[in-house]
Amino acid sequence: MEKTQPARGMRDFLPADVRRREYVIGVVRGVYERYGFEPLETPAVENIETLTGKYGEEGNQLIFKILKRGEHERTGAADLALRYDLTVPLARVVAEYGERLPKFFKRYQIQPVWRADRPARGRFREFYQCDLDATGSRSMIVEAEICAAASDVLAQLGFTNFTIRLNHRQVLAGVLDAAGVAPELHGDALIALDKLDKIGAEGVARELIERGVAGAAGAKLLRFFEGVAGIEKAAESVDVGAPGTEREAFNAAMLGRLVEFLGEHEAGARGVDELRQILQFAEATGAGARIKIDPSLARGLSYYTGAIMEISVPDLAGSLGGGGRYDHLVGMFSKQEVPACGFSLGLERIIVVMTEREMFPADLVSAAADVLVTIWDESSAGDALALARELRAGGLRVDVYPERGDKVGKQFKYASTRGVPFVAVAGPDERARGEVSLKDMRSGEQQTVRSAAAAETLKTLLKGNGDG
RNA sequence: UUGGCUGUAGCUCAACGGCAGAGCGUCGCACUGUGGAUGCGAAGACGACGAGUUCGAUUCUCGCCAGCCGACCCA
């Protein structure tokens, strides 16, 4: 026997799964459209050179490659690859269609991406991202709106305790420069710093040394981040005022500390200013109360150039989504530099958390049909199908019992176990009078109506029961 | 890439170096024009896969694969 499980890290979605996914996607799409974003779809497969070199060292290795076909197959060389995210394909699209797209191109894209990663909780090799990007503008209004949209999505899904962590690549670089970390070690230092919340200051110190960032630079860096932790504590004790005071105090203090630490660093100072603008704009949106400056946030993808953000919830180690500004990515595909900023929500992670917390509406797992039409015998199968047709024309979801030999009791049982709320029976008596019997499986009540009125009757009953 | 745990019926899980068990689910019957409840009965397992130790392995050992948890990384 061949194994029948899906390939590693890939999943089949049974009907209940698909319903849950479509529910979340529906909310995402609705919010994104309300922010004026337009749908885009791109191929699963890209030319391999489109993808390589865009994600950094790690990302490069996680790209699913597709071997050359035909006579070149033996060489093992790849010329195509499955897309790794939706941002790079967008950049390619923007470069390709240039002027034909609006000046400010706002698109959303909900499609699967593939990563040759090791599967884990909330992490798969094929997963959906719900991306939201705006190209053509350098304004921090874009960042604020994108944070607001992501925040609206989660709020509408029922999340109450998420945080949008916000940082800035230039600020990060500035902090490292100011601490005296050599430019070629920035990457290593960031990887270590990113773990601050997990392994603590001592852990980061150890890792910094391991990665070659030792001595004065490492110490200065850590002192800065210890100061950051102190700000957090201080802010916690100011929470007596209106809601949000703590967070505002924290963000303000954090920006102040950054300015102080960065000193004359020009790019860093500009970054801080951008963060300040984002905070200010976001105050007018639903995201305002969610954003927290986090100077240790780094993010793995190499194409970010400005603000970076990530959404986290307490009960999931990873993030629910992340994004940032990438002003040079489109330029990698064309001479024209096009600034851009975007955000990606991870559908699978949202679903993992929502499933665990039972955040899905109860009626999502509703029955496949509103009514099951039973089959009486050989000769009346045609009548049953005709009745089904009539009910369907009336807008009902209708299942026809497929086997003619089975006793009516069995057919009722089938409807019952599948949760179909109504059963229609047209035996010899009913048919002789042009009628059909309708049984409400939940109340057990049954009534006989003219066939022509069956659809209307059922619709009324379904509406009356309300929770369908 | 790395450490730990697990792998037995469709599902959840027992027991045991010597005949493989339950609950739930499925199917049948009691109930030949009516489901849910109850009772009775049935089907369903090459014990993930491969090798070794043994008179004998589901059990012990090794390998391999898969899943879960943590590290690394990420959505």
Side-chain angles (χ1 to χ4, degrees):
Chain A
M1 278 274 269
E2 277 176 60
K3 69 170 178 185
T4 51
Q5 302 145 319
R8 182 157 199 219
M10 314 277 175
R11 291 156 305 154
D12 295 315
F13 299 118
L14 296 181
D17 301 318
V18 175
R19 285 221 164 85
R20 278 198 289 272
R21 300 173 70 77
E22 287 183 342
Y23 165 75
V24 175
I25 288 173
V27 169
V28 171
R29 184 176 291 128
V31 171
Y32 285 1
E33 297 243 348
R34 254 174 280 144
Y35 276 80
F37 287 79
E38 296 186 278
L40 174 77
E41 294 196 6
T42 63
V45 170
E46 294 280 352
N47 291 317
I48 199 161
E49 57 270 22
T50 301
L51 304 184
T52 47
K54 309 295 191 302
Y55 303 108
E57 186 78 22
E58 290 279 345
N60 253 353
Q61 294 176 343
L62 297 178
I63 294 172
F64 262 112
K65 294 167 182 148
I66 299 173
L67 291 181
K68 283 190 177 180
R69 293 137 309 277
E71 56 182 299
H72 302 292
E73 193 177 341
R74 278 176 297 121
T75 67
D79 57 345
L80 301 174
L82 293 171
R83 66 170 165 243
Y84 180 88
D85 70 358
L86 302 176
T87 307
V88 167
L90 169 69
R92 179 183 62 70
V93 163
V94 170
E96 166 72 13
Y97 298 95
E99 303 289 294
R100 278 169 283 175
L101 298 173
K103 180 178 177 192
F104 306 118
F105 182 46
K106 296 170 68 176
R107 83 90 175 78
Y108 70 87
Q109 187 168 358
I110 302 171
Q111 285 193 285
V113 304
W114 292 266
R115 294 184 188 176
D117 220 339
R118 185 160 195 257
R121 178 177 131 90
R123 186 211 251 146
F124 306 93
R125 287 181 157 183
E126 176 182 59
F127 61 97
Y128 273 67
Q129 290 193 324
C130 310
D131 271 42
L132 185 71
D133 293 79
T135 67
S137 171
R138 292 196 150 79
S139 165
M140 292 304 112
I141 287 177
V142 173
E143 270 85 342
E145 279 240 288
I146 278 170
C147 288
S151 173
D152 279 7
V153 167
L154 292 181
Q156 197 175 324
L157 288 172
F159 285 86
T160 54
N161 58 347
F162 58 92
T163 306
I164 303 178
R165 294 151 68 212
L166 177 68
N167 198 11
H168 197 290
R169 274 282 157 90
Q170 301 308 320
V171 172
L172 223 33
V175 167
L176 294 175
D177 286 339
V181 177
E184 66 271 16
L185 285 174
H186 277 195
D188 283 293
L190 288 181
I191 290 169
L193 279 177
D194 200 38
K195 301 175 192 167
L196 191 64
D197 52 337
K198 257 188 259 174
I199 61 179
E202 321 86 69
V204 173
R206 216 174 308 124
E207 182 145 349
L208 282 174
I209 291 166
E210 277 166 30
R211 290 177 182 272
V213 187
K220 195 167 179 192
L221 202 52
L222 273 170
R223 233 175 297 128
F224 170 72
F225 280 100
E226 276 161 20
V228 163
I231 291 173
E232 183 124 32
K233 283 221 178 64
E236 275 166 15
S237 57
V238 204
D239 66 348
V240 272
T245 305
E246 177 190 330
R247 180 188 47 81
E248 277 176 38
F250 173 82
N251 285 336
M254 198 62 86
L255 289 179
R257 182 81 187 90
L258 283 168
V259 167
E260 194 183 314
F261 189 78
L262 288 169
E264 304 289 289
H265 197 284
E266 218 174 289
R270 270 201 307 276
V272 173
D273 193 55
E274 289 192 356
L275 291 180
R276 188 174 285 124
Q277 285 182 52
I278 295 169
L279 286 173
Q280 182 200 322
F281 292 139
E283 283 307 319
T285 75
R290 299 294 181 183
I291 300 180
K292 233 179 129 176
I293 301 284
D294 180 353
S296 70
L297 175 68
R299 289 189 62 71
L301 300 179
S302 63
Y303 49 62
Y304 292 119
T305 56
I308 50 180
M309 48 258 185
E310 206 163 276
I311 292 194
S312 40
V313 289
D315 44 350
L316 189 77
S319 63
L320 289 184
R325 174 163 287 276
Y326 47 98
D327 285 345
H328 303 313
L329 187 55
V330 176
M332 294 174 81
F333 293 106
S334 84
K335 289 186 199 97
Q336 185 76 39
E337 284 277 20
V338 180
C341 178
F343 197 90
S344 178
L345 282 171
L347 180 66
E348 334 297 323
R349 299 216 164 152
I350 290 173
I351 289 172
V352 164
V353 175
M354 287 185 69
T355 302
E356 270 172 19
R357 294 198 204 157
E358 294 175 5
M359 290 166 67
F360 286 102
D363 59 352
L364 257 194
V365 278
S366 69
D370 300 316
V371 54
L372 174 79
V373 174
T374 56
I375 296 281
W376 194 257
D377 57 23
E378 292 278 326
S379 63
S380 64
D383 288 350
L385 289 168
L387 173 62
R389 176 188 183 183
E390 212 170 304
L391 296 175
R392 287 171 182 145
L396 292 158
R397 299 176 301 154
V398 183
D399 195 7
V400 175
Y401 195 86
E403 311 228 322
R404 289 169 298 184
D406 286 347
K407 283 183 284 195
V408 192
K410 198 165 168 181
Q411 303 189 38
F412 270 81
K413 186 169 183 173
Y414 179 74
S416 176
T417 55
R418 297 215 54 205
V420 178
F422 287 92
V423 173
V425 180
D429 298 348
E430 286 92 342
R431 266 177 293 133
R433 296 192 295 269
E435 293 177 340
V436 56
S437 292
L438 305 173
K439 177 161 179 174
D440 185 329
M441 298 300 279
R442 291 171 293 192
S443 66
E445 285 164 25
Q446 181 166 322
Q447 58 180 297
T448 303
V449 302
R450 308 237 12 118
S451 298
E456 278 315 310
T457 305
L458 282 170
K459 273 191 276 184
T460 309
L461 289 170
L462 281 163
K463 207 181 289 170
N465 277 317
D467 58 353

